[in-house]
Amino acid sequence: MHTQIMSLNVGPQHPSTHGVLRLVVDMDGEYVVKVTPHMGYLHTGFEKTFENRTYQQGVTYAPRTDYLHSFGHELAYVLSVEKLLQADVPERATTVRVILHELGRIHSHLVFVGTGLLDLGALTPFFYAFREKEALQDLFEAVCGYRMNQGYFRVGGLSRDIPDDWAPRVEKFLDQMERGVTEYTTLFAQNPIFLDRAKGVGVIPPEVAIDLGLTGPNLRASGVPLDHRKDNPYCGYDTYDFNVITSTDGDSLARFNMRLLEFGESIKIVRQALKRLKPGPVKDPNRKISLPPRHELETSMEAVIHHFKLVTEGFHPPTGEVYVPVESARGEVGYYIVSDGGSMPYRVKIRAPSFVNLQALEYACVGAQFADLITILATIDPVLGDVDR
């Protein structure tokens, strides 16, 4: 029987695209035959902006690239610059970074659970997940004053130390989060309607996932156990006890379960990091990298000079190029930075996981029904700031 291919626009205002992403979907009856993503509606030009700001000012832009796991991008950026400088990051600063990096992963996965199931018609999970999300954002606000786009890390350490009561508050939140994960598993992950919508839908085999460059939970859901916290350790992750969660199913249900199970591993890492917190400095003592304490400005002319130079001009890393991969909530994020010896980067290129992961959408959707496309897009979990940069 002859049928005519129909092209449908999904977005750029469709709620299931979670941002201004436009998909042109070619349909043969109820079945998808082609999906073409049209990106760029949220293009920020951050990579070029980085090249016209000092290295320390770049910290403002990094978290805005992925507003759900901002600490992942912040960490990737400062680690790259610190590698150029051979900076000496204090142990306390590194431990706080690990805590916030994992809390940021939990934050991102909470939005995934809440909004992903909302796309499938389940309203209740949104309220449950955002209950913990709001509590988590209270912790972010307490440590740096911002609930999103924190800009708390600095090249050489942190902008300031954590409040005295912050660690006990984190412990209390982890207890709340563990109860929440049990509720999510009971109420949503075993829901027969959700299982019918997700099981066997959008299967991506491991060899295809590797060829497409997938990373993070999307790659591990296909059975490839790549996790940069284990394979390319940073911030001392090789000294923490945690498991890399994988599945061999490669479908939408496996990608959902990856996030659900990673909650427990992140909680485990944060508890270990809290036990390692010791009093100490949180900035590189090198005055040519870190701003001097305010009390030094009152007694030392050298401190005033360092302060003036850092604020007006910034530091000058040696000539070279650097890239440090970090395991964010969506996969491998890294900042390729080229230095020409000036106070601003000569070139910045962001390896954004959502941009790469979106390549899998067409492969996973072709042959599926239109309703399945929404499920697949939700479980691939792209962030549009991460896609368009």
Side-chain angles (χ1 to χ4, degrees):
M1 184 177 66
H2 174 71
T3 59
Q4 185 175 355
I5 301 299
M6 179 171 59
S7 293
L8 298 177
N9 261 316
V10 180
Q13 286 85 27
H14 195 284
S16 293
T17 62
H18 294 260
V20 281
L21 172 67
R22 176 184 171 220
L23 302 176
V24 177
V25 186
D26 292 348
M27 304 286 298
D28 183 358
E30 283 291 321
Y31 294 92
V32 176
V33 295
K34 185 179 180 182
V35 180
T36 306
H38 288 253
M39 298 162 290
Y41 291 89
L42 197 63
H43 181 55
T44 56
F46 278 163
E47 291 174 337
K48 286 300 167 191
T49 306
F50 273 107
E51 295 165 17
N52 290 277
R53 297 291 185 274
T54 65
Y55 286 91
Q56 204 71 276
Q57 288 173 336
V59 175
T60 304
Y61 299 93
R64 285 162 172 78
T65 310
D66 181 351
Y67 28 82
L68 295 182
H69 190 191
S70 345
F71 288 114
H73 272 264
E74 276 187 53
L75 186 58
Y77 175 72
V78 297
L79 286 177
S80 289
V81 180
E82 286 163 0
K83 189 172 181 180
L84 269 175
L85 289 167
Q86 295 297 301
D88 180 19
V89 181
E91 181 184 349
R92 181 175 176 84
T94 298
T95 306
V96 173
R97 286 178 175 183
V98 168
I99 294 171
L100 289 170
H101 188 36
E102 292 306 317
L103 291 178
R105 191 183 317 279
I106 292 173
H107 176 264
S108 179
H109 288 350
L110 283 168
V111 177
F112 169 86
V113 168
T115 60
L117 291 171
L118 185 66
D119 293 340
L120 307 187
L123 185 63
T124 309
F126 181 83
F127 297 110
Y128 276 81
F130 272 57
R131 173 189 61 193
E132 272 73 59
K133 176 183 179 293
E134 288 298 309
L136 192 47
Q137 286 187 306
D138 288 342
L139 294 174
F140 295 160
E141 187 176 11
V143 81
C144 63
Y146 291 91
R147 299 178 75 79
M148 291 178 66
N149 303 328
Q150 287 83 11
Y152 175 63
F153 298 162
R154 291 291 182 272
V155 177
L158 310 173
S159 63
R160 64 182 74 83
D161 204 350
I162 57 175
D164 293 338
D165 66 338
W166 193 72
R169 290 178 61 184
V170 173
E171 284 278 11
K172 186 177 178 182
F173 166 77
L174 295 179
D175 294 338
Q176 175 186 342
M177 188 65 214
E178 284 179 331
R179 293 191 297 271
V181 173
T182 303
E183 288 179 343
Y184 309 152
T185 305
T186 305
L187 293 173
F188 320 133
Q190 299 170 10
N191 182 289
I193 299 174
F194 167 67
L195 293 176
D196 286 344
R197 290 287 304 272
K199 190 171 180 61
V201 172
V203 176
I204 304 174
E207 60 276 7
V208 174
I210 292 171
D211 287 346
L212 290 172
L214 297 190
T215 53
N218 294 323
L219 179 64
R220 294 191 287 274
S222 295
V224 183
L226 175 66
D227 188 319
H228 287 292
R229 294 172 296 176
K230 290 277 192 183
D231 297 298
N232 297 291
Y234 53 92
C235 292
Y237 267 107
D238 50 330
T239 64
Y240 288 86
D241 177 30
F242 66 99
N243 299 313
V244 176
I245 306 297
T246 59
S247 171
T248 55
D249 296 334
D251 58 2
S252 295
L253 181 60
R255 289 190 286 274
F256 177 85
N257 285 334
M258 283 299 103
R259 275 81 172 188
L260 204 59
L261 294 171
E262 283 186 2
F263 281 134
E265 299 307 311
S266 289
I267 290 171
K268 190 189 300 183
I269 293 170
V270 174
R271 288 199 191 279
Q272 293 173 60
L274 288 171
K275 292 177 182 177
R276 299 184 186 191
L277 269 181
K278 300 173 184 175
V282 294
K283 295 181 181 180
D284 187 325
N286 186 348
R287 292 290 175 259
K288 295 189 182 297
I289 296 176
S290 303
L291 288 171
R294 185 163 293 277
H295 65 83
E296 280 189 20
L297 300 179
E298 300 170 359
T299 58
S300 169
M301 189 61 203
E302 281 190 358
V304 174
I305 293 170
H306 284 311
H307 186 281
F308 178 79
K309 292 288 284 183
L310 285 171
V311 170
T312 59
E313 185 180 339
F315 45 73
H316 292 250
T319 303
E321 53 187 327
V322 67
Y323 176 84
V324 179
V326 164
E327 189 68 33
S328 84
R330 260 154 286 284
E332 179 186 335
V333 57
Y335 283 69
Y336 170 70
I337 300 174
V338 179
S339 168
D340 60 0
S343 62
M344 302 178 189
Y346 173 76
R347 182 73 176 97
V348 175
K349 175 64 180 174
I350 305 172
R351 198 282 181 193
S354 294
F355 178 74
V356 182
N357 290 347
L358 202 58
Q359 293 182 109
L361 185 63
E362 181 167 18
Y363 179 91
C365 287
V366 170
Q369 293 186 317
F370 185 81
D372 296 332
L373 182 149
I374 303 302
T375 305
I376 295 165
L377 180 62
T379 56
I380 287 177
D381 190 30
V383 163
L384 267 296
D386 207 31
V387 170
D388 291 337
R389 303 186 302 291

